[in-house]
Amino acid sequence: MTARPVKHSVTLHGHRTSISLEAPFWSELRAIARQKNMPINALVAGIDEARGVESGLASAIRVYVLKTLKDRLPDAD
């Protein structure tokens, strides 16, 4: 497994854009999209719409993946 970002193209609002993410994030993002039964482009578009202007799209995706995985963990309380 490599820590180098891998570039992939997605379509957002009818336009192609490239996003660079490490392979584990791409893998988890695809798994989340499958579990939600939605295309990866739709999931990324939702993340894009929810992010603030101070956050880049790749960073927003990483945070979304991390939060999704964390939300699945049982509470430690």
Side-chain angles (χ1 to χ4, degrees):
M1 180 168 22
T2 179
R4 288 190 170 216
V6 178
K7 196 175 276 193
H8 289 268
S9 293
V10 295
T11 302
L12 296 176
H13 313 292
H15 300 285
R16 299 291 283 172
T17 189
S18 293
I19 304 167
S20 294
L21 291 172
E22 296 77 10
F25 283 101
W26 280 120
S27 178
E28 290 302 326
L29 187 64
R30 284 188 194 102
I32 293 167
R34 277 192 307 274
Q35 291 164 357
K36 291 180 172 272
N37 197 29
M38 63 191 309
I40 192 92
N41 288 336
L43 180 58
V44 171
I47 295 168
D48 183 45
E49 290 170 12
R51 73 182 168 106
V53 293
E54 66 282 347
S55 174
L57 182 54
S59 294
I61 291 170
R62 286 184 191 94
V63 170
Y64 176 85
V65 168
L66 182 61
K67 183 180 180 326
T68 300
L69 293 174
K70 188 176 178 183
D71 288 348
R72 292 180 184 164
L73 294 174
D75 287 338
D77 295 337

